[in-house]
Amino acid sequence: MKKLSRKERERVIKRDLIIDAALHVMQSKGFEHATMDEIAEAAEIGKGTLYLYFKSKTALYLAISERGSRLLNDQLGKVLLLELPGISLIEKMGFTYLNFIRESPLYFTAFNYFEHIMNEGKMANTPIMEQCEGHAIEAMTYIVRALQIGMQDGSIKKSFDPKELGVIIWGASKGVMHMAFLKNNANHMKILDDIDFDLQSLVSGFIELLRSGMKNDLKS
Amino acid sequence: MKKLSRKERERVIKRDLIIDAALHVMQSKGFEHATMDEIAEAAEIGKGTLYLYFKSKTALYLAISERGSRLLNDQLGKVLLLELPGISLIEKMGFTYLNFIRESPLYFTAFNYFEHIMNEGKMANTPIMEQCEGHAIEAMTYIVRALQIGMQDGSIKKSFDPKELGVIIWGASKGVMHMAFLKNNANHMKILDDIDFDLQSLVSGFIELLRSGMKNDLKS
DNA sequence: TCATAAAAATGACTGATGGTCAATAACTGA
DNA sequence: TCAGTTATTGACCATCAGTCATTTTTATGA
C-alpha cells in the first residue's frame, strides 16, 4: 500500500514538472506553436512518456487550464472570507482576477483555449474536462455567494436573480478582462492603442458600472 | 480597362463562393476540423486554386470573420439612425448582437477565432487583418456614438469617459454574448444547464444592469 | 545476490493535413 | 490559327500529433 502510494506521488510530481516544462516552452514559442516534441525535450523525457501522462495535446492544454483556474479559485475563495459588504467582495474579486491575468497571462490564454475546445465538443466527459468544469462552477459559485451576501447586507439590490446575475457578471468580467489582456499583451489591436487607458482604470470603470448598476436605491 | 474590371468582379464573386463553401463544410464538420482539401472540393476547385484566393487557412478564417463583422456592423449602423435616446440605442444594439449570434453562430465562432489569432500575432499587417481591425473599430465607434448621444440627451450619465466606457461595454457584451452562445450551442457546460434562464432574459438582465449603471441620477 | 516478471520509458515510425510548384489548360488579341 | 499570357491543377513535401514494438528500469522472492 505504502509503495503504491509512493509511486503515485512520484507520478503526480512528474506530471507537474511536465506542465512546468510545457508552460516554459509556450512562453517562448507561443501557446499553440509549441510542439509535443519540444515539450517532451524540455521536460527531459521521451515523447512516448509524455503521452503516458497526457493522452493528447489538448489534454495537456486542459491540464494547464485546470491548474490555472485552481490557482485563481484559491485566491477568489480567500476573498469570500473577508468581512466586507457583498459589493466590495465583488470588487475585490474583480481586481484579484485582473492581477492574476497580469501575473500569469499564459494561464488566461489557457482558459480561453479551454472554452474554445469545450465549444467544439472535444474531450467531453473526460476526467480533466470534468475537473475544469468543476472549477468553472466553483468560480461562478463564489460570485453568486458574494451577490447573496450583498443582497443580505443591503449593498446590492434584490431585483436580480443572483444566479442569473452571476452568469452575467462572470461573462462580462471575462470579456472586460480579455480587453485588458489584449491591451496589455498584443502589440496589435490598434483600436486599443488609440484609446488611452490603463488596465486598472478599465477594470475600475467596469466595477464602478457594476456597482452603480447593482446598487440598492434605498428609495422606498 | 473594362476587361480587367470584369475579371476582378469575377474574382470577387468566386472568392465569395469559396467562403460560402467553407462555411458549409464547417457547419457539418466543425469550425477547425474542416480541411482545406474538403473546402476545395466543396467549392469545386483544385486545392491550388484555393490557395490563390486565400494565402493560408488562417486567412480564410479571417475572411469569414471579416464577412461576419461586416454583416453585423451593417445592422449596428442602422440602429444608430433610429430616433431614440442613447440608452435605448445601446439596448437595441445589444439585442441586435444577440439575434445575430442566434442566427449565425458560425460567424460568432469566427469572431472568437479572429481574436485568438490576433493574440498569437499571426497575420499581423496583412490586408485581411487590417480589414478585420477596421470592422472592430467601426463596431466600437457605433457604441461610443450611442453613448455620446445618451450623454447629450441625458439618458446616460456623464461621469464616464465615453471611449473607455465603450471598451468596457464592448468587452462585457462580448463576454455575456459568449455565455449566451455557450448556453445555446454547447450541450456541455453543465453549469449553464443547471441554471434555468433563456438567452433573452440573460441579455435583458445584462442590459438592465448597464442601464441602471449608466443612468443619469438626476440628483442635483 | 541473482533471476525473473512487471512496469516504465523510449524514439523510430505512421497518418493526416497545411502548404508548394512544375506542369497543364484556358483564354486573349492579332 | 497561333504565340503569349493567365488561371488552374493535383501530385508532392514538410511538419507534427499520436502509436507501438523494443529496451531499460524497477520490484519481487528464493
Side-chain angles (χ1 to χ4, degrees):
Chain A
M1 204 56 176
K2 183 111 184 275
K3 190 165 45 183
L4 186 70
S5 172
R6 199 206 75 211
K7 284 241 175 144
E8 283 192 339
R9 266 182 288 128
E10 283 179 352
R11 194 180 161 80
V12 169
I13 290 169
K14 193 159 184 179
R15 203 187 108 104
D16 242 48
L17 289 174
I18 293 173
I19 295 179
D20 289 340
L23 279 169
H24 189 257
V25 173
M26 287 171 193
Q27 211 124 39
S28 56
K29 297 262 176 176
F31 189 67
E32 53 187 10
H33 210 258
T35 70
M36 292 301 263
D37 289 82
E38 280 174 315
I39 292 167
E41 193 182 5
E44 294 176 271
I45 57 174
K47 190 179 183 176
T49 312
L50 178 54
Y51 275 86
L52 290 177
Y53 283 81
F54 300 96
K55 279 200 275 295
S56 68
K57 193 179 183 183
T58 301
L60 175 55
Y61 284 159
L62 277 187
I64 290 169
S65 178
E66 189 277 325
R67 188 205 268 184
S69 45
R70 186 154 34 83
L71 293 173
L72 176 58
N73 278 354
D74 284 350
Q75 293 183 37
L76 293 179
K78 278 179 193 141
V79 171
L80 258 195
L81 300 175
L82 300 173
E83 284 286 344
L84 288 172
I87 187 75
S88 304
L89 293 177
I90 293 286
E91 183 174 347
K92 272 225 172 331
M93 284 181 183
F95 283 111
T96 300
Y97 198 176
L98 175 63
N99 287 331
F100 183 80
I101 288 173
R102 274 207 277 217
E103 283 159 26
S104 315
L106 229 54
Y107 285 126
F108 189 67
T109 309
F111 293 166
N112 290 338
Y113 190 76
F114 155 63
E115 296 200 342
H116 186 248
I117 61 180
M118 190 171 53
N119 251 354
E120 295 276 312
K122 281 180 202 165
M123 305 294 295
N125 304 319
T126 57
I128 183 71
M129 191 51 137
E130 310 262 325
Q131 264 185 297
C132 285
E133 288 198 5
H135 288 317
I137 291 172
E138 193 184 323
M140 173 79 187
T141 306
Y142 287 140
I143 294 173
V144 173
R145 284 279 171 282
L147 290 173
Q148 287 168 332
I149 291 171
M151 289 176 183
Q152 280 287 321
D153 64 30
S155 62
I156 295 174
K157 65 180 162 191
K158 293 177 179 165
S159 56
F160 290 105
D161 170 58
K163 282 191 176 180
E164 188 170 308
L165 187 55
V167 175
I168 291 170
I169 291 183
W170 191 37
S173 302
K174 283 200 292 192
V176 172
M177 296 301 162
H178 196 233
M179 285 290 129
F181 176 78
L182 287 177
K183 175 79 178 174
N184 211 27
N185 292 53
N187 11 20
H188 331 287
M189 201 64 179
K190 293 196 189 88
I191 181 171
L192 294 181
D193 292 341
D194 290 349
I195 302 173
D196 187 37
F197 65 86
D198 61 77
L199 307 190
Q200 202 74 20
S201 92
L202 185 76
V203 175
S204 296
F206 173 60
I207 287 170
E208 180 51 36
L209 184 68
L210 289 185
R211 183 192 276 278
S212 55
M214 299 189 298
K215 175 175 63 191
N216 210 330
D217 285 342
L218 301 170
K219 268 182 191 162
S220 58
Chain B
M1 206 57 175
K2 183 115 185 271
K3 189 165 51 185
L4 187 70
S5 170
R6 199 206 74 210
K7 285 243 173 141
E8 283 192 340
R9 266 183 289 126
E10 282 179 353
R11 193 180 161 81
V12 169
I13 290 170
K14 194 158 183 179
R15 203 188 108 104
D16 242 48
L17 288 174
I18 293 173
I19 295 179
D20 290 340
L23 279 169
H24 189 258
V25 173
M26 286 170 193
Q27 210 125 40
S28 57
K29 297 262 177 176
F31 189 67
E32 54 187 10
H33 209 259
T35 71
M36 291 302 262
D37 289 82
E38 281 173 315
I39 293 167
E41 194 182 4
E44 296 177 88
I45 57 174
K47 191 179 180 176
T49 311
L50 178 54
Y51 275 87
L52 289 177
Y53 283 81
F54 300 96
K55 277 199 277 295
S56 66
K57 192 179 183 183
T58 301
L60 176 54
Y61 284 160
L62 277 188
I64 291 169
S65 179
E66 189 277 326
R67 186 203 270 183
S69 44
R70 188 155 33 83
L71 293 172
L72 176 59
N73 278 354
D74 283 351
Q75 295 184 35
L76 293 179
K78 278 179 194 142
V79 171
L80 257 195
L81 299 176
L82 301 173
E83 284 285 344
L84 287 171
I87 187 76
S88 304
L89 293 177
I90 293 285
E91 182 174 346
K92 272 229 172 330
M93 285 181 182
F95 284 112
T96 300
Y97 197 176
L98 175 64
N99 287 331
F100 183 79
I101 288 173
R102 272 207 279 218
E103 282 159 26
S104 317
L106 228 53
Y107 285 127
F108 189 67
T109 309
F111 293 167
N112 290 337
Y113 190 75
F114 156 62
E115 297 202 341
H116 186 248
I117 62 181
M118 190 171 52
N119 252 355
E120 295 275 313
K122 280 179 203 166
M123 306 293 297
N125 303 320
T126 58
I128 182 71
M129 191 51 134
E130 309 264 324
Q131 265 185 297
C132 285
E133 288 197 7
H135 289 317
I137 292 173
E138 192 183 324
M140 173 78 187
T141 306
Y142 287 140
I143 295 172
V144 174
R145 284 279 170 281
L147 291 173
Q148 287 168 334
I149 291 171
M151 289 176 183
Q152 280 287 321
D153 65 29
S155 62
I156 295 174
K157 65 180 163 192
K158 294 175 179 167
S159 56
F160 291 105
D161 169 60
K163 282 192 175 178
E164 187 170 308
L165 187 55
V167 175
I168 291 169
I169 290 182
W170 191 38
S173 301
K174 284 200 290 192
V176 172
M177 295 303 163
H178 195 232
M179 285 289 129
F181 176 78
L182 287 177
K183 175 79 178 177
N184 210 26
N185 292 52
N187 11 18
H188 329 287
M189 200 66 179
K190 293 197 189 86
I191 182 170
L192 294 181
D193 293 341
D194 291 349
I195 302 173
D196 187 36
F197 64 87
D198 61 78
L199 307 191
Q200 201 74 19
S201 93
L202 185 77
V203 174
S204 296
F206 172 60
I207 287 170
E208 180 51 37
L209 184 67
L210 288 185
R211 183 191 276 278
S212 56
M214 299 188 299
K215 176 176 60 190
N216 211 331
D217 286 342
L218 303 172
K219 267 180 192 164
S220 57

